[in-house]
Amino acid sequence: GGTFEGDTYVPAGRSCFVSVLEPAEMMRVLSGGWTVVAGKSNAFMTYMALANALQPGLLLHTDLRVTAEKVGLVDIIWEPEGQTGGSAATSPPGFSPAHVSTLTLASLGGGGEEGTLRAKRGLAADQYASLLAAADRGGHGAVRLTFVLCKYWTGGAALAKAIGRVRSGSSPWSLAALSLYTQVGLAYDYCGMNMWCDERQDLLKLGPAPMKDAFLAELRAFLREADAALCGGGGAGGGGGGLPLPCTVFVGTLTALPHYWSFERIAAINAAVRDEVPRAAAALPPTAALSLRVADVYGLGLSRPDEVLEGHMSPLLHLWLAWGLLNALPQARALLRLAGCPEEASFAPACKAVVGGASTVRMGCEDCGCAFYDRVCATDSFECRDFECAQFRPCRFERRGPHATAAEGGERGEGGEGG
């Protein structure tokens, strides 16, 4: 948890702030690495915020409505300039996009209604591995950013096994530093309480206590699979000898506010994450390649409840989450300066859910409209929501503080969505 001073997040118990990263600095941290985000709507919006911060507007003009099941997998690869044919004007400094692919939820599962159900349940490891291995681009210093929709830890465990298989083969990503950010859990609540659960009849109507037990058992199975397969077998079961590269797994708590109808059950899920992930991390031997960490997404949202719209964080909050994850990566320690005391960020209104107590959605401020999103929804209005509209807008931010440029008094960046 923490607090906000204006637009700047201040982690609890810290004398210095989170390092606010410009696109070039984010690419330095991510260079030579593969970052995977797995979860549902809020996780996808964290992914979008990071992708659009790295390359402004990259995902703002594609129908990626996660609530309308238009998102199953998104895969982006940037290569250092010189390894690709050209560079877009908005490309990250020194990099060019070499690969961008998207799959709807149905396509991820093989097509049709049954494909959608398969993707919601989670695919088999060999199916995930086949999809992930298809993106065979990636030279020295390349950056890969992948999103996979994942509602349950059973799918997360299969995904971890699949990533391990890709990294153990001849893929260009076999020697990449790996970061996996997961935010999974809300589907257990919906399913256990008899809501939106056509894909997991075994969880239907379980009730709060058995639902939490199922969540915990499947979270533990995911953590065991991450230990065994994700990072080359260097965890508690492998007795060391894992890949000599950073391999970090973040497990995010769920976004919720106390007035939510399901807050008590979500709080129980979050408590299980806070208990179980550190317990699994403590069991890893000193030689383990794997690092396990909790990402306190709940605390971040609670620190700015006005920036949580219909259960989804604003782009402002998603960028702070992305910066926090990047700050925490082992490979960042040798690359990033120490965060300023304070180092601050300010955000344009289009990054925010609320300005002056009023919603910014379709407000008259610069970039606050949702033109592309509204055009898509005019022809297909299924699950079109204001919180998602808020993500399909350019999000411009400015870094301030001891590391801002002397000439301008700040450094400008541009990001994308949140959730």
Side-chain angles (χ1 to χ4, degrees):
T3 59
F4 269 84
E5 296 183 8
D7 288 345
T8 300
Y9 180 67
V10 185
R14 296 276 293 276
S15 59
C16 290
F17 294 1
V18 171
S19 187
V20 176
L21 305 179
E22 296 296 315
E25 294 164 330
M26 288 188 274
M27 294 302 284
R28 286 180 64 202
V29 174
L30 296 171
S31 179
W34 183 8
T35 300
V36 181
V37 176
K40 200 169 178 289
S41 54
N42 265 299
F44 178 63
M45 291 166 189
T46 301
Y47 176 87
M48 290 188 74
L50 179 55
N52 286 307
L54 293 172
Q55 183 167 336
L58 179 62
L59 299 180
L60 293 183
H61 303 287
T62 303
D63 185 2
L64 295 174
R65 293 174 295 150
V66 66
T67 51
E69 301 179 348
K70 300 298 184 181
V71 180
L73 181 145
V74 183
D75 208 4
I76 307 168
I77 298 172
W78 291 273
E79 292 181 346
E81 289 180 358
Q83 294 185 20
T84 55
S87 175
T90 57
S91 295
F95 287 82
S96 302
H99 172 87
V100 180
S101 63
T102 64
L103 291 175
T104 65
L105 194 60
S107 297
L108 175 65
E113 187 175 337
E114 284 301 314
T116 298
L117 291 176
R118 281 192 293 270
K120 288 179 178 180
R121 284 192 296 267
L123 305 182
D126 59 344
Q127 294 172 297
Y128 282 130
S130 177
L131 291 166
L132 296 174
D136 58 358
R137 297 293 298 263
H140 177 71
V143 173
R144 185 175 184 181
L145 187 62
T146 305
F147 173 80
V148 180
L149 191 133
C150 181
K151 295 184 69 173
Y152 303 96
W153 287 120
T154 46
L159 178 62
K161 183 180 290 186
I163 294 169
R165 289 180 182 175
V166 173
R167 296 180 83 227
S168 66
S170 59
S171 164
W173 303 99
S174 60
L175 294 178
L178 178 72
S179 309
L180 171 61
Y181 168 66
T182 62
Q183 191 189 34
V184 172
L186 192 59
Y188 290 88
D189 178 61
Y190 287 163
C191 198
M193 300 310 294
N194 191 25
M195 296 175 63
W196 307 302
C197 196
D198 49 352
E199 72 275 1
R200 284 288 303 266
Q201 293 296 307
D202 58 311
L203 299 178
L204 189 62
K205 296 184 180 181
L206 281 181
M211 175 273 296
K212 180 185 174 183
D213 291 342
F215 171 87
L216 187 57
E218 293 183 4
L219 169 62
R220 287 171 175 164
F222 163 76
L223 294 172
R224 288 193 298 270
E225 195 62 62
D227 174 18
L230 194 62
C231 305
L243 294 175
L245 290 164
C247 184
T248 308
V249 174
F250 298 95
V251 181
T253 53
L254 299 179
T255 306
L257 298 177
H259 63 272
Y260 285 4
W261 64 269
S262 58
F263 175 75
E264 290 185 0
R265 297 190 299 277
I266 291 176
I269 287 174
N270 286 343
V273 169
R274 294 192 192 100
D275 290 343
E276 197 60 33
V277 175
R279 184 178 295 117
L284 297 172
T287 55
L290 175 65
S291 174
L292 292 171
R293 307 188 63 142
V294 174
D296 187 15
V297 186
Y298 165 73
L300 179 63
L302 196 64
S303 64
R304 279 294 296 269
D306 58 320
E307 290 296 328
V308 179
L309 177 63
E310 297 176 339
H312 294 76
M313 299 195 305
S314 69
L316 178 152
L317 290 181
H318 280 286
L319 276 174
W320 278 112
L321 173 58
W323 286 331
L325 297 175
L326 294 179
N327 273 249
L329 292 176
Q331 58 266 41
R333 295 169 192 157
L335 296 172
L336 294 180
R337 64 190 180 280
L338 293 176
C341 300
E343 181 162 310
E344 302 176 346
S346 61
F347 295 81
C351 302
K352 303 179 181 182
V354 173
V355 171
S359 170
T360 66
V361 177
R362 303 181 184 86
M363 190 174 155
C365 53
E366 183 181 4
D367 294 326
C368 287
C370 308
F372 172 78
Y373 187 82
D374 287 346
R375 283 199 303 273
V376 171
C377 289
T379 58
D380 177 8
S381 62
F382 176 64
E383 285 289 350
C384 285
R385 308 272 291 279
D386 279 357
F387 80 81
E388 200 166 45
C389 166
Q391 319 308 321
F392 281 80
R393 307 183 299 183
C395 170
R396 295 181 173 84
F397 64 89
E398 183 175 283
R399 180 169 70 195
R400 303 178 184 274
H403 299 288
T405 59
E408 298 180 2
E411 297 185 25
R412 293 186 179 274
E414 184 172 324
E417 293 70 283

